[in-house]
Amino acid sequence: MTRPETDTSPAPRPASPGERLADAVRVRRFTPAERWVHRTTAFLMGLCVLTAACLYLPEFAELVGRRELVVRLHEWSGLLLPVPVLAGLASRAFRADLRLLNRFGPHDRVWLRAALRRDARPGSRPAGKFNAGQKTYAAWIAGAVLVMLGTGLLMWFTDLAPLVWRTSATFVHDWLALTVGLVLAGHIGMALARPESRRGLRTGSVDREWAEREHPLWRPRPHSDDSRPEPPDKARDDEVRETT
């Protein structure tokens, strides 16, 4: 039996009638710090991909010009890409979400099997706060960014490694950049098809009915609790406990 992800924080203050009405409709999904991390990372990633396109595609290169400026923007946007995530570690909520993204349970395997079979029946894709597809994407893009950063540094600082290393780094960097571009296009396409997911990242809250339908194992904190300080990590574990 799969238990839901539960927020075990201390009991909140009594909600006003207006807050109770809001809780019946909206629930909090992301804090301002988490939204800042996502927006800043998305901006740097977009800048990195766009400048890469200007460097590798002659049509874009002729349109933009100023190759030296484009190169510098590409290098620094790539170098700064991990910074928002590292800064986000100061947020307890962000660290708690990273723990959830890093955990795969039996329900995630069920979700993946259903997705591969294109089974969209209600209840066929059990998910906590993040579904298995989101967890897989987060793990893949994090690894890709680290590889791109490492190979990019070898290409930027030519004295760091011998020629054969730099040649190999260029090969990996170029082909992985193409793969990242394709994966990001798919990520953006899926986001465009899911307005409530976008609203959650834009406003921090989502429709309660949507949350119960798309993430049935997630037990979110009430929206009226936004002003309450985050409890300690141990109390905010939000772990999906699996029992058999």
Side-chain angles (χ1 to χ4, degrees), residues 38-55:
H38 184 270
R39 291 170 184 173
T40 310
T41 302
F43 172 78
L44 290 172
M45 180 67 79
L47 183 59
C48 205
V49 170
L50 288 175
T51 51
C54 293
L55 292 172

Side-chain angles (χ1 to χ4, degrees), residues 104-128:
F104 267 74
H107 65 284
D108 292 311
R109 291 189 286 274
V110 172
W111 192 99
L112 287 173
R113 286 195 295 268
L116 291 173
R117 295 195 304 267
R118 299 184 180 276
D119 185 354
R121 293 175 300 169
S124 64
R125 300 187 185 187

